[in-house]
Amino acid sequence: MSANALLSIQGLDAGYGESPILREINLDIQPGQVVCLMGRNGVGKTTLMKTIMGLIKPSQGTVSFEGKNITQWSTSQRARAGIGYVPQGRGIFPYLSVFENLLMGFEATPSRKPEKSSLEEVFDLFPMLRQFRHRQAGMLSGGQQQQLAFARVLVRRPKLLLLDEPTEGIQPSIMAEIEDLILKLHREGDMAILLVEQFIDFALSVGNAFYVMETGAIVMNSAAEGFDAERAKEYLAI
């Protein structure tokens, strides 16, 4: 575990039932850092995100957050400690309104009570959500739903934001908005981000540390300054 790491994963093995997926994962995230996790489909990236969030229990290894061993903590405990998760596919509630979806985000705060100032912050970040706050979430476009998924987590001001392929199926204009948002959150310095991303150019535009996975293991790990993008592309090629 590196000094002052916000999140530290050591020797992590995990999978589904008797099917092992992750093998000896070691990963550190410093406060305020944007870490990109890359790899082809099926190598275990989403499994790792779910394990960090407590949705999958590891068979071996530890997950530490702010110096505390949280390996046995529940998903709700991790959320209240300050870990936010935007899953692949967004996970919004399609039959609730935009505003009701945002209120659901406060269920993971210690008080569970909505904060007007926090709602205003996400409306300022995503003006479209203010405009459509009474619209049923399932009626939004894919890009708008992605913004709602972001906002629902950001209302509780997490210390660590887990983003699982936020650019998947999104038009280029929304990808640019997501890039701007990640860079803005990074500049503010209050939040670390772990981003699962298939597009290496997008990852390079926002990340300052990179991990590449292959068949459940980390095969590359580098800060932005020494990252070998050409070698990484070999692991990402289909």
Side-chain angles (χ1 to χ4, degrees), residues 53-55 57 70-80:
M53 202 63 227
L55 297 165
K57 295 299 181 188
I70 67 168
T71 311
Q72 301 304 319
W73 286 20
S74 68
T75 298
S76 60
Q77 284 176 301
R78 296 177 198 218
R80 291 192 184 104

Side-chain angles (χ1 to χ4, degrees), residues 29 53 71 81 89 102 129 151 169 173 177 191 194 213 218:
I29 301 176
M53 202 63 227
T71 311
L102 293 175
L129 297 181
S173 61
E177 290 180 14
M191 188 185 304
L194 177 59
M213 289 185 71
I218 301 291

Side-chain angles (χ1 to χ4, degrees), residues 82-100:
I83 303 177
Y85 180 38
V86 180
Q88 193 175 22
R90 304 170 195 122
I92 63 161
F93 299 101
Y95 298 110
L96 298 182
S97 70
V98 166
F99 189 68
E100 288 167 336

Side-chain angles (χ1 to χ4, degrees), residues 160-200:
L160 173 62
L161 180 62
L162 308 177
L163 301 176
D164 194 349
E165 297 206 33
T167 63
E168 184 181 43
I170 298 296
Q171 63 262 41
S173 61
I174 301 297
M175 283 180 66
E177 290 180 14
I178 292 173
E179 179 181 338
D180 289 344
L181 173 64
I182 292 172
L183 291 172
K184 181 179 189 298
L185 294 173
H186 175 57
R187 283 194 302 272
E188 291 173 354
D190 300 327
M191 188 185 304
I193 297 172
L194 177 59
L195 168 70
V196 168
E197 186 51 65
Q198 293 259 36
F199 295 112
I200 192 165

Side-chain angles (χ1 to χ4, degrees), residues 116-132:
K116 187 175 180 181
S117 62
S118 186
L119 284 166
E120 287 301 317
E121 284 175 15
V122 298
F123 281 142
D124 288 343
L125 275 175
F126 306 104
M128 174 278 304
L129 297 181
R130 189 196 303 273
Q131 179 185 350
F132 293 151

Side-chain angles (χ1 to χ4, degrees), residues 93 96 99-108 152 155:
F93 299 101
L96 298 182
F99 189 68
E100 288 167 336
N101 267 273
L102 293 175
L103 293 182
M104 293 296 288
F106 291 103
E107 289 295 313
R152 190 181 59 192
V155 291

